[in-house]
Amino acid sequence: MLYFAPWKTVLIWLTVAVGVLFALPNLYPQSVRDSLPEIIPNDTLALGLDLQGGVHLQLRLDRQDLVEQRLESVADEVRRALRAEGIGYTGLSGRGQRVSFTLRDPADAEATREALSDLTTPIQTGVLTGGTVREVTIDEGADGRFVLDITDQGLDYRMASALSQTVEVIRGRIDELGTTEPVIQRQGADRIIVQVPGLGDPERLKDLIGTTARLTFQMVDTTVSTEEALQSRPPVGTELLYSTDDPPVPYVLETREIVTGENLEDAQAGFDQRTNEPIVTFRFDGTGAQRFGRATQENVGRPFAIVLDDQVISAPVIREPILGGSGQISGNFTVDGANDLAILLRAGALPLKPTFVEERTVGPSLGADSIAAGEIAGIIGAILVVGFMFVAYGFLGLIANLALLINITLVIAALSALGATLTLPGIAGIVLTVGMAVDSNVLIFERIREERLGGRSLIQAIDAGFQRAFTTIVDANVTTLIAAIILFYLGSGPIRGFAVTLAIGIITTVFTAFILTRWMMAFWLRRRKPKELPLGLGRHLRPDTHIKFMWLRRYSFTLSALVVVASMALFATVNMNLGIDFKGGSLVEVQAIEGEADIGAIRSDLSDLNLGDVQVQGFGAPSDALIRIESQGGGDNAEQSAIAKVRAVLEDDYNIRRVEVVGPTVSGELATAGTIAVLAALAAILVYIWLRFEWQFALGAIIATTHDVLLTIGMFVVTGLEFNLSSIAAILTIVGYSLNDTVVVYDRVRENLRRYKKMPIPELLDMSMNQTLPRTILTSVTTLLALLALFFFGGEVLQSFVAAMIFGVVIGTYSSIFIAAPILIMFRLRPGALSQESDEAQKEKAATANTAPVDMDTA
């Protein structure tokens, strides 16, 4: 195993070189990247909104709005078709997904079917559904009654079309703002995700993309006064709408639309030459110009209204026919207001008005602070881990550190090549990868040291160490990879970034630890021809200790059972500090423009807004404050209204650094998804361990891991740390780490079961625990060093996330020794429970025991 063919050596270092080539652009300024030849990669890591600032919005299209829209549309089509054919009817009404009417003369049934045939004709849906869809079906009664049903299939088609159209309209509107690399994409059957990096005005963005922007030109009805319309219902064929003035002015308008925004060819912001006020000029296409010209010719001297989303912008009097197909809209606009209206009109109208169900906004100053905190935490964590490895293993530690450096380079290269977005949880994933990468090297080095202490030659010990550690490394990392994959598919936003980073880190760790480190060890042996391992202080952690772990199992079981019961009792009786991700509501982080944040004044100002429970507390620096607002209970739009009020009160004295708004719809979904993610991870890992080991090992691993999860939940209850979406990521990481530790122990137990078939199980378990104890201690310390650096220097936002992982590392180490191993006795695992070793295994064992010295001149 220590011999590498030349082509393998070339392939290994070619992989490293490609990784360096893809990672290097992240160190270059933009001007250098632009000047590089096209053949050289120049993709860099995109920074997430939490690192560079920006806005994340989740929008939902309401299916019920679509149903009502289609109901009205079908009723109008029925009315138009029957009137065109002169067919009398009565009782035309719509309810649910059904439109019904009764013919005055049942003899008109055949003519009615013919008149309505266009409504029931299947339409081609193209790629959306891959065929045809019948949107409306007709049932005919014997008494001349007709019932038209809007099909679910037709509504699904319309909803998919509305989503696609909404994405394109929003993209057109945001592109007009000139922002950098916005992300607009569908999510599920009725959601759209909008992410705009670097944008500092979220309210303007929400106004821009949340406005339906349906423009109509309608005549003002002067035959009835607005007072009469207000006192009674407007006449048939008219409607009462209000202007955008303050106070609003009512207008009675004809419902007939002269022309709509669909006929607009262009719209631009400008200034009135007479008054110098901002205006919007528009130009119709040929059809629109013809309709508009004819209407103005026929109505000279009458006022007409320009209506945007059922609000009258202006209602000028037609002084003369407007035949050029162009005009202007004035309405006390600001410059930004005129620009935004022009953008809305150019991009077109939204098919449905969206609802904002989630908002996460990070100001640019907080993003810069997050980058600085992440860099500091990463540097300190790397220094601590690198220093510890050198102290523990001496020259071997240098090899491990070089492999670690290449590992991180490959992670960054892979993320850059994939066009991934680096977030704060992503940085946490990289820091955690540092600890886990070291674990693989520790496993190898400890196994080599153990083989050397067992009397093998140095070359034999290194060869056997890599062989025996490989299975353990794969099993340990696969369990964590399973958790990462499930986290990716069931998570959202930054949590998926964490999962991607962790998954890539696991893959690169296996490559650097088992292949690259082995090549460097072989190269060192060939060049130096050492006689002994150059171990550091780690040599004092001997694998031949004789601690009676199984003797303590009764105490550890009792203690764990009591703590688990206490955790569940606290969870059931004490309210966990759930973040807005799970209970809905709003979170606002502010920074005083001058001096320190006045917590009392903020609390007093916000208490007058009648927003329910409002909590204000210091956060980080004296100038910072964190505001939590309970869920408003009035639906998703109510949360947005609450944030608008808070902004209006505080924006003069405070910079809004971060805003998170989660409506009740999303919070319920996140709670469900988080629970499913944990259960799915446990189930998948149970199956994997069952296949790799035996059923006793699988159940033991799941019980130990469940123990860790329950204690972590209890920790959140006792400490009052906020339990949010990142906490789910932390728990799943704990699941992976705990199982990683447990699998290492179980792998040694399995090996000893095959080797010592008559040894009593308690004695065999004690021996296995003592043999893996040095690795357990070294891995736990290195992982804790990385996490502690992240906890103290990674910023306030990540503290609850990292605190949970630190607790999980400690508890995971405890459970792998005092729960996972002794529980095998409870499940009556017997000596010889595993099948007899295969012939291949026997041959491998014999070959390893009698390996001839490897010719290092060919290694």
Side-chain angles (χ1 to χ4, degrees):
M1 293 223 17
L2 291 178
Y3 170 73
F4 286 85
W7 68 268
K8 289 184 179 180
T9 298
V10 171
L11 191 59
I12 291 169
W13 288 102
L14 182 61
T15 302
V16 174
V18 169
V20 172
L21 193 63
F22 274 90
L24 275 179
N26 291 280
L27 301 178
Y28 301 151
Q30 184 65 45
S31 58
V32 174
R33 293 199 299 271
D34 293 340
S35 64
L36 292 174
E38 292 185 4
I39 194 172
I40 299 178
N42 60 0
D43 294 326
T44 61
L45 274 173
L47 296 180
L49 300 183
D50 51 0
L51 294 178
Q52 66 170 316
V55 182
H56 165 99
L57 299 172
Q58 184 178 156
L59 293 73
R60 178 171 61 87
L61 301 186
D62 193 338
R63 186 182 178 92
Q64 187 57 39
D65 289 348
L66 178 65
V67 171
E68 293 174 2
Q69 188 183 91
R70 290 293 297 144
L71 201 65
E72 182 178 347
S73 175
V74 170
D76 287 344
E77 286 293 317
V78 170
R79 187 181 295 112
R80 181 195 58 77
L82 296 183
R83 285 179 179 176
E85 298 296 327
I87 299 173
Y89 64 91
T90 184
L92 178 62
S93 62
R95 177 176 297 179
Q97 293 178 209
R98 175 170 293 179
V99 174
S100 61
F101 65 91
T102 302
L103 296 177
R104 295 185 187 277
D105 184 357
D108 291 332
E110 181 64 31
T112 300
R113 286 194 295 272
E114 181 65 25
L116 301 180
S117 61
D118 287 345
L119 281 173
T120 59
T121 302
I123 60 173
Q124 296 290 333
T125 59
V127 297
L128 287 174
T129 57
T132 60
V133 160
R134 189 182 300 275
E135 292 193 271
V136 178
T137 60
I138 297 181
D139 290 328
E140 181 182 349
D143 55 354
R145 181 173 175 79
F146 279 75
V147 176
L148 291 82
D149 287 306
I150 302 172
T151 66
D152 289 333
Q153 187 183 22
L155 289 173
D156 291 341
Y157 164 69
R158 290 279 180 171
M159 196 68 179
S161 299
L163 274 173
S164 299
Q165 183 180 345
T166 301
V167 167
E168 294 308 313
V169 171
I170 291 176
R171 190 184 310 280
R173 294 178 181 182
I174 292 178
D175 286 345
E176 294 272 3
L177 290 175
T179 56
T180 303
E181 298 181 355
V183 175
I184 304 109
Q185 60 187 24
R186 293 176 53 174
Q187 185 178 64
D190 61 353
R191 305 291 174 85
I192 296 172
I193 297 295
V194 178
Q195 294 180 342
V196 186
L199 187 68
D201 190 353
E203 291 304 309
R204 184 185 180 195
L205 177 66
K206 287 192 291 184
D207 289 340
L208 195 63
I209 67 177
T211 302
T212 308
R214 187 174 189 274
L215 183 72
T216 60
F217 293 78
Q218 299 168 236
M219 297 305 301
V220 177
D221 190 336
T222 56
T223 62
V224 61
S225 67
T226 54
E227 289 77 10
E228 294 177 5
L230 287 169
Q231 293 173 2
S232 60
R233 297 182 63 182
V236 176
T238 66
E239 60 183 342
L240 187 67
L241 297 180
Y242 289 85
S243 72
T244 57
D245 300 310
D246 188 14
V249 178
Y251 289 89
V252 180
L253 307 182
E254 295 180 3
T255 54
R256 180 177 61 90
E257 299 169 349
I258 300 172
V259 67
T260 69
E262 295 177 0
N263 300 114
L264 277 180
E265 194 170 76
D266 190 25
Q268 296 291 336
F271 292 91
D272 191 305
Q273 294 181 356
R274 295 169 299 174
T275 64
N276 205 34
E277 293 180 347
I279 59 171
V280 176
T281 61
F282 61 86
R283 185 174 71 253
F284 289 118
D285 58 16
T287 302
Q290 184 180 10
R291 291 177 181 174
F292 193 62
R294 184 170 60 248
T296 55
Q297 275 183 323
E298 296 171 352
N299 294 282
V300 172
R302 289 185 60 190
F304 76 98
I306 302 172
V307 182
L308 181 69
D309 290 344
D310 294 331
Q311 286 188 300
V312 178
I313 296 177
S314 61
V317 176
I318 302 172
R319 302 298 181 188
E320 59 185 16
I322 304 174
L323 304 177
S326 62
Q328 69 181 40
I329 304 172
S330 58
N332 298 322
F333 295 124
T334 63
V335 174
D336 281 345
N339 282 327
D340 288 349
L341 178 56
I343 290 172
L344 292 171
L345 297 181
R346 285 197 301 271
L350 295 173
L352 294 171
K353 185 173 180 61
T355 299
F356 294 100
V357 296
E358 182 183 13
E359 174 191 347
R360 300 182 191 273
T361 302
V362 177
S365 62
L366 181 59
D369 292 346
S370 298
I371 292 174
E375 289 177 349
I376 292 172
I379 291 171
I380 293 176
I383 291 174
L384 289 175
V385 171
V386 166
F388 180 80
M389 285 299 293
F390 178 71
V391 170
Y393 289 106
F395 179 76
L396 293 185
L398 289 178
I399 292 178
N401 290 333
L402 179 58
L404 178 62
L405 176 62
I406 295 174
N407 188 0
I408 301 303
T409 301
L410 293 178
V411 171
I412 294 173
L415 292 173
S416 300
L418 291 173
T421 299
L422 183 64
T423 61
L424 273 176
I427 292 177
I430 291 177
V431 174
L432 184 62
T433 297
V434 170
M436 297 183 66
V438 169
D439 174 49
S440 296
N441 281 313
V442 169
L443 273 170
I444 293 169
F445 293 161
E446 287 302 309
R447 198 62 196 244
I448 292 172
R449 187 160 68 99
E450 186 179 335
E451 297 294 333
R452 184 73 177 113
L453 290 174
R456 296 175 184 257
S457 69
L458 181 59
I459 294 176
Q460 290 175 336
I462 292 174
D463 191 35
F466 273 102
Q467 289 186 52
R468 295 185 181 279
F470 178 71
T471 302
T472 306
I473 290 173
V474 170
D475 284 337
N477 281 281
V478 165
T479 53
T480 308
L481 183 62
I482 289 172
I485 291 173
I486 291 175
L487 190 62
F488 177 81
Y489 280 105
L490 298 181
S492 62
I495 303 307
R496 298 186 74 178
F498 170 78
V500 169
T501 305
L502 186 59
I504 293 173
I506 291 169
I507 295 170
T508 57
T509 292
V510 173
F511 169 77
T512 55
F514 188 74
I515 298 178
L516 185 62
T517 301
R518 186 158 55 91
W519 186 93
M520 288 190 289
M521 292 281 285
F523 182 81
W524 169 66
L525 285 172
R526 186 181 67 212
R527 291 295 183 185
R528 296 295 183 181
K529 295 183 173 55
K531 302 300 182 183
E532 194 51 73
L533 283 173
L535 294 175
L537 297 179
R539 65 181 180 276
H540 297 297
L541 293 172
R542 298 181 62 83
D544 54 355
T545 54
H546 300 286
I547 302 174
K548 300 293 185 180
F549 292 106
M550 295 307 105
W551 178 82
L552 297 171
R553 68 180 184 276
R554 293 180 178 85
Y555 301 101
S556 63
F557 281 171
T558 303
L559 174 64
S560 293
L562 291 174
V563 176
V564 166
V565 171
S567 295
M568 292 300 94
L570 288 171
F571 177 75
T573 57
V574 179
N575 291 330
M576 180 182 279
N577 182 19
L578 293 175
I580 62 170
D581 292 323
F582 297 117
K583 65 179 182 181
S586 307
L587 182 147
V588 183
E589 183 182 340
V590 298
Q591 185 178 61
I593 296 176
E594 295 181 359
E596 297 183 0
D598 190 338
I599 305 299
I602 295 174
R603 188 179 292 115
S604 175
D605 291 341
L606 297 184
S607 64
D608 298 334
L609 300 179
N610 297 319
L611 299 177
D613 182 27
V614 178
Q615 301 175 12
V616 185
Q617 64 185 64
F619 187 74
S623 59
D624 299 342
L626 195 66
I627 304 164
R628 288 186 175 88
I629 306 168
E630 71 171 350
S631 181
Q632 298 302 293
D636 295 309
N637 284 328
E639 309 296 340
Q640 296 295 326
S641 299
I643 286 296
K645 293 179 181 178
V646 172
R647 285 182 180 276
V649 170
L650 299 179
E651 62 186 2
D652 291 338
D653 301 317
Y654 293 88
N655 291 320
I656 309 297
R657 287 163 61 85
R658 176 166 57 111
V659 174
E660 296 184 14
V661 182
V662 179
T665 303
V666 173
S667 61
E669 293 172 352
L670 291 176
T672 302
T675 303
I676 292 174
V678 174
L679 294 178
L682 289 174
I685 294 168
L686 170 65
V687 172
Y688 176 79
I689 296 179
W690 199 316
L691 293 174
R692 290 291 293 143
F693 294 87
E694 296 290 335
W695 68 266
Q696 294 99 329
F697 292 91
L699 290 180
I702 292 302
I703 290 173
T705 306
T706 303
H707 161 274
D708 299 343
V709 171
L710 295 179
L711 289 190
T712 304
I713 291 174
M715 182 272 293
F716 274 103
V717 176
V718 172
T719 60
L721 286 173
E722 182 179 296
F723 191 83
N724 50 34
L725 196 58
S726 295
S727 304
I728 293 292
I731 287 179
L732 279 172
T733 306
I734 290 167
V735 167
Y737 181 87
S738 176
L739 282 163
N740 184 310
D741 221 20
T742 300
V743 166
V744 171
V745 171
Y746 278 177
D747 191 78
R748 182 56 65 94
V749 172
R750 178 177 59 180
E751 179 182 331
N752 287 335
L753 278 170
R754 289 170 173 167
R755 181 178 295 178
Y756 306 102
K757 296 183 176 62
K758 297 183 179 180
M759 181 180 292
I761 289 297
E763 185 179 336
L764 185 141
L765 292 175
D766 273 337
M767 180 178 66
S768 301
M769 295 302 100
N770 282 281
Q771 288 173 341
T772 57
L773 187 61
R775 171 263 160 198
T776 300
I777 294 173
L778 290 169
T779 296
S780 299
V781 170
T782 51
T783 306
L784 285 173
L785 286 174
L787 291 175
L788 287 172
L790 199 62
F791 180 82
F792 287 108
F793 302 102
E796 295 274 355
V797 177
L798 277 180
Q799 279 197 345
S800 63
F801 173 79
V802 179
M805 290 205 293
I806 290 174
F807 181 83
V809 169
V810 175
I811 292 299
T813 303
Y814 162 84
S815 67
S816 64
I817 297 174
F818 294 103
I819 303 296
I823 209 167
L824 296 176
I825 301 175
M826 183 181 297
F827 288 146
R828 301 184 182 280
L829 183 68
R830 301 293 184 187
L834 297 177
S835 58
Q836 297 292 327
E837 290 181 297
S838 64
D839 293 339
E840 292 78 10
Q842 292 279 15
K843 292 177 181 177
E844 185 274 329
K845 182 177 178 181
T848 304
N850 301 288
T851 301
V854 178
D855 183 4
M856 296 312 301
D857 290 331
T858 61

